Amino acid sequence: MTRSFDAIVIGSGQAGPFLAARLARAGRTVALVERKVLGGTCVNTGCTPTKAMVASAKAAHTAREAARFGVHLQGEVRVSLAEVHSRAQTIVQNSRDSLGKMLADAGCTVILGQARFVSAHEVQVGEDTVRGEQFFINVGARAAIPKLPGLESVSYLTNSSLLDLTELPKHLVVVGGGAVGVEFGQMFRRFGSEVTLVEMKSSLMHREDAAASALVGELLEQEGVQLRLNAKCLSFSKEKDGICVHVDCSEGDKEVHGSHVLLAMGRVPNTDDLGLEAAGVEKDSAGYIPVNDQLRTNLAHIWALGDCNRRGGFTHTAYNDYEIVAANLLEGADRRVSDRIPARATYTDPPLAQVGMTEEEARATGRELLMATRRMSTVSRAIEKGETFGLMKAIVDAETKRILGAMIFGVGGDEAIHCILDVMYAKQPYTTITHAVHIHPTVAELIPTLLGALKPAD
Ligand SMILES: Cc1cc2nc3c(=O)[nH]c(=O)nc-3n(C[C@H](O)[C@H](O)[C@H](O)COP(=O)(O)OP(=O)(O)OC[C@H]3O[C@@H](n4cnc5c(N)ncnc54)[C@H](O)[C@@H]3O)c2cc1C
């Protein structure tokens, strides 16, 4: 059977469903094709379940630390992973259901199945051919499984399969010290597992500000996560009660033994089985789909949004891709992806939030810089909460007085940093913030003070 639509959205990640609903409300006939479940990575195996589980891990941590606050609990703190899992899945299901309702209310046709281009205007889904005038690819990414010796002989977990566990691993070995690895590492340690984190580079979160990156390692070690940095030449072997990760072949028997292994070694785009060649859509050597500033591929009637275009890698950037495409198509706007300021947070506890450039990126521009840092141990709100770990930092262009970047690694940092981000979007100088009066006691209250202490960077 062949069906025809004005617009076909492939994948229901963080851009597709919203774009599908918006186009349908504007009077177009729209089909959304999804091969698994609505909501993609964020809702099902990324942000939503992990942040729900981070909250459970925080509760366990707070319970263990309660005596510090004069609160005494009796007995041991015990975490039921089955209950943690069930709480997270309820939140996931609610989110999935509300997406389904939004699409139904807007009058979109949802087709469940794998879409594969068979021509520039047709995709095959099961037995059906679906024809469209315009296509919006939102197929996302999945955990990378590098070809490492012995990996095929062991059973390993990814960010998806780890979420199915209902019993705590005795000893979880996390391979990869990026955001996914450190979030799961701290979380499972707080749940009560032994955790070893293996990273090939000399620090965790190595793309972040160097001071923050060093502090992430300190934070995890303080909580009892064992770190194995500079791990070279990784290989895996099966053992009677678990798995051995070999972390150094040059110096002999460097081994990490665990009951479970999580691979958190990056992501690959879901473009290998999409039939892009049949449509004539270009992809790069890593499988990502190059797009222009308005997110069009090399074909004028096909757009690529979200992780598969390599212009973001986050839920908020995928959602912004939807906003850009919808505004340009339906409102005659000229919105561009290059207007976006990089912003991200890693949900360790405390969170690590970054907007704009890191110190290293700002120095690499060769501009004259003003810089200020402040320890979270000098922030009243952090002291009162008993959560003084971390640091905030701001970097300003000495000539224009505009903020180039900022980092808050500390309690409430993921929220407080938005006052800096908004001034960056407004293209105003940092003095806009130093003249503002913030509420006491908050973490944001110290941002004017931080900026008031800017000094030329050495
Ligand atoms: C563990 C983890 C935690 C994360 N936490 C955060 C966070 O806290 N904050 C944040 O901003 N980001 C986070 N991310 C990243 C975030 O999940 C993604 O950036 C986000 O989901 C955007 O993805 P997307 O819209 O590109 O597509 P995705 O959400 O990946 O969805 C793509 C959809 O397309 C479907 N699909 C693929 N191929 C086909 C096909 N051929 N036919 C039909 N359907 C297809 C897939 O089944 C999937 O449903 C996290 C990621 C992970 C892995």
Side-chain angles (χ1 to χ4, degrees):
M1 187 171 79
T2 300
R3 289 192 273 175
S4 295
F5 296 88
D6 295 331
I8 297 178
V9 175
I10 306 176
S12 68
Q14 293 306 300
F18 306 101
L19 183 60
R22 184 83 191 277
L23 291 171
R25 279 192 233 107
R28 307 206 183 174
T29 56
V30 184
L32 181 142
V33 189
E34 169 53 55
R35 70 179 177 191
K36 283 189 188 149
V37 283
L38 290 180
T41 307
C42 182
V43 167
N44 298 290
T45 57
C47 334
T48 304
T50 59
K51 267 78 253 184
M53 291 167 78
V54 163
S56 294
K58 170 90 175 175
H61 182 69
T62 305
R64 285 191 198 100
E65 297 268 297
R68 230 169 26 90
F69 298 85
V71 177
H72 296 275
L73 306 176
Q74 283 176 343
E76 196 192 327
V77 174
R78 192 184 56 81
V79 173
S80 158
L81 193 58
E83 289 170 44
V84 169
H85 174 265
S86 152
R87 173 179 180 274
Q89 286 309 312
T90 303
I91 299 170
V92 166
Q93 189 62 52
N94 290 342
S95 188
R96 224 187 263 157
D97 291 347
S98 75
L99 277 178
K101 182 170 180 327
M102 176 189 75
L103 291 167
D105 289 350
C108 297
T109 301
V110 175
I111 304 174
L112 290 179
Q114 160 90 27
R116 190 182 180 90
F117 280 100
V118 288
S119 76
H121 278 282
E122 289 163 318
V123 287
Q124 191 76 34
V125 187
E127 300 291 297
D128 295 343
T129 303
V130 191
R131 204 182 151 72
E133 294 304 317
Q134 295 179 323
F135 288 82
F136 303 91
I137 304 174
N138 181 218
V139 292
R142 62 184 186 274
I145 311 296
K147 286 194 169 41
L148 293 170
L151 194 54
E152 69 295 338
S153 68
V154 300
S155 85
Y156 53 81
L157 299 162
T158 64
N159 66 288
S160 306
S161 50
L162 183 67
L163 298 177
D164 297 333
L165 295 184
T166 49
E167 276 182 34
L168 274 185
K170 188 166 174 326
H171 186 161
L172 178 67
V173 183
V174 179
V175 183
V180 173
V182 301
E183 285 184 11
F184 276 123
Q186 185 187 41
M187 181 200 300
F188 274 83
R189 181 68 198 131
R190 288 181 169 192
F191 287 160
S193 297
E194 269 184 74
V195 175
T196 303
L197 209 159
V198 175
E199 165 58 48
M200 285 176 270
K201 297 265 189 308
S202 57
S203 62
L204 304 177
M205 306 288 303
H206 63 91
R207 290 200 189 90
E208 297 293 343
D209 177 283
S213 158
L215 278 177
V216 173
E218 222 176 90
L219 173 72
L220 296 193
E221 279 191 310
Q222 266 179 24
E223 296 198 11
V225 173
Q226 296 166 53
L227 299 187
R228 183 62 176 81
L229 303 176
N230 295 307
K232 299 277 183 276
C233 215
L234 287 178
S235 65
F236 300 79
S237 61
K238 202 168 167 183
E239 300 198 314
K240 197 163 137 270
D241 297 328
I243 291 161
C244 176
V245 184
H246 305 263
V247 292
D248 195 336
C249 55
S250 63
E251 292 172 36
D253 62 358
K254 295 268 173 56
E255 296 178 343
V256 177
H257 302 270
S259 58
H260 296 68
V261 170
L262 166 69
L263 294 186
M265 304 180 75
R267 313 273 302 160
V268 289
N270 291 322
T271 55
D272 43 345
D273 48 7
L274 192 54
L276 290 175
E277 321 68 42
V281 175
E282 286 168 5
K283 57 180 172 176
D284 68 17
S285 57
Y288 290 95
I289 304 173
V291 288
N292 69 10
D293 218 9
Q294 301 198 322
L295 302 164
R296 272 197 163 96
T297 66
N298 60 306
L299 298 188
H301 70 289
I302 305 186
W303 287 254
L305 303 88
D307 287 7
C308 69
N309 67 23
R310 209 179 212 169
R311 300 295 287 264
F314 297 97
T315 284
H316 44 279
T317 50
Y319 188 81
N320 180 235
D321 284 358
Y322 139 66
E323 294 176 314
I324 292 169
V325 172
N328 293 346
L329 275 178
L330 300 174
E331 297 162 16
D334 181 26
R335 291 186 64 174
R336 290 156 191 275
V337 71
S338 55
D339 290 337
R340 192 153 74 204
I341 298 171
R344 57 185 177 271
T346 299
Y347 289 90
T348 44
D349 176 38
L352 164 55
Q354 170 73 46
V355 294
M357 298 180 201
T358 62
E359 179 184 335
E360 293 70 28
E361 287 163 347
R363 285 186 187 278
T365 65
R367 296 182 221 200
E368 268 188 55
L369 305 176
L370 301 174
M371 253 178 43
T373 58
R374 186 172 194 95
R375 295 245 147 226
M376 292 302 290
S377 54
T378 64
V379 175
S380 305
R381 181 71 166 154
I383 296 167
E384 288 146 10
K385 286 186 157 207
E387 299 182 52
T388 53
F389 186 92
L391 183 74
M392 49 170 93
K393 180 184 283 188
I395 303 142
V396 165
D397 184 315
E399 196 186 320
T400 63
K401 307 287 183 270
R402 295 256 192 94
I403 301 169
L404 296 174
M407 175 267 283
I408 306 181
F409 185 12
V411 60
D414 53 329
E415 302 286 352
I417 205 154
H418 285 91
C419 75
I420 298 182
L421 184 61
D422 290 343
V423 168
M424 292 171 76
Y425 270 112
K427 300 185 180 5
Q428 294 301 306
Y430 76 88
T431 44
T432 308
I433 303 181
T434 53
H435 295 171
V437 180
H438 287 185
I439 296 164
H440 173 77
T442 57
V443 172
E445 166 193 36
L446 266 291
I447 293 176
T449 316
L450 172 78
L451 292 168
L454 285 166
K455 294 214 168 49
D458 351 296

